[in-house]
Amino acid sequence: QVELVESGGGSVQSGGSLRLSCLVSGSIYDLGTMGWYRQAPGKERELVTSITVVGTTDYAESVRGRFTISRDNAQKTVYLQMNNLKPEDSAVYYCYSRLRTRIRDFGTDYWGQGTQVVVSS
């Protein structure tokens, strides 16, 4: 059974920092591309950032230069360092992994349960 568990969310003031972590557990052949989405109340879920197996990253324009994604494949963990947070960054953050459980599988998206980030002005 594959499970993704996020941690590190919380409440900070504008300009502050948070570091999110997402640990993947279970029998996994390949973690694949990993990343973070977020969803604010009344808004659609949006892609914040992603990172490939070899470390190629992509960021939404709204977070570029403030957020940094990284991964530790040995620890099966993806991180999101968020600096200079703004009130508009407030949302539930979800990690995902497009992983394979067996060598013959195609990648399938698995999701965490989400972690709340609140940024006050």
Side-chain angles (χ1 to χ4, degrees):
Q1 187 78 3
V2 175
E3 188 176 19
L4 279 68
V5 178
E6 300 105 334
S7 60
S11 297
V12 296
Q13 290 193 328
S14 182
S17 298
L18 285 173
R19 189 189 194 212
L20 306 183
S21 300
C22 175
L23 173 65
V24 182
S25 62
S27 179
I28 296 162
Y29 173 76
D30 178 2
L31 284 170
T33 295
M34 306 178 77
W36 295 87
Y37 278 75
R38 68 186 180 186
Q39 187 167 22
K43 295 188 177 181
E44 294 188 356
R45 189 175 294 193
E46 63 170 343
L47 177 63
V48 176
T49 180
S50 63
I51 183 168
T52 67
V53 173
V54 296
T56 302
T57 59
D58 191 24
Y59 295 93
E61 192 59 39
S62 59
V63 306
R64 195 183 306 275
R66 299 187 297 122
F67 290 12
T68 303
I69 189 172
S70 60
R71 62 190 287 165
D72 185 332
N73 293 326
Q75 297 298 321
K76 295 190 289 185
T77 301
V78 62
Y79 303 98
L80 181 61
Q81 178 66 43
M82 304 185 294
N83 297 329
N84 191 21
L85 282 160
K86 304 176 181 181
E88 51 263 42
D89 295 318
S90 298
V92 177
Y93 284 71
Y94 300 89
C95 69
Y96 79 93
S97 177
R98 185 161 295 165
L99 60 85
R100 293 187 289 169
T101 57
R102 297 176 299 179
I103 188 171
R104 292 189 298 261
D105 286 349
F106 291 102
T108 300
D109 288 349
Y110 286 79
W111 296 85
Q113 81 288 350
T115 186
Q116 181 79 51
V117 172
V118 177
V119 184
S120 57
S121 57

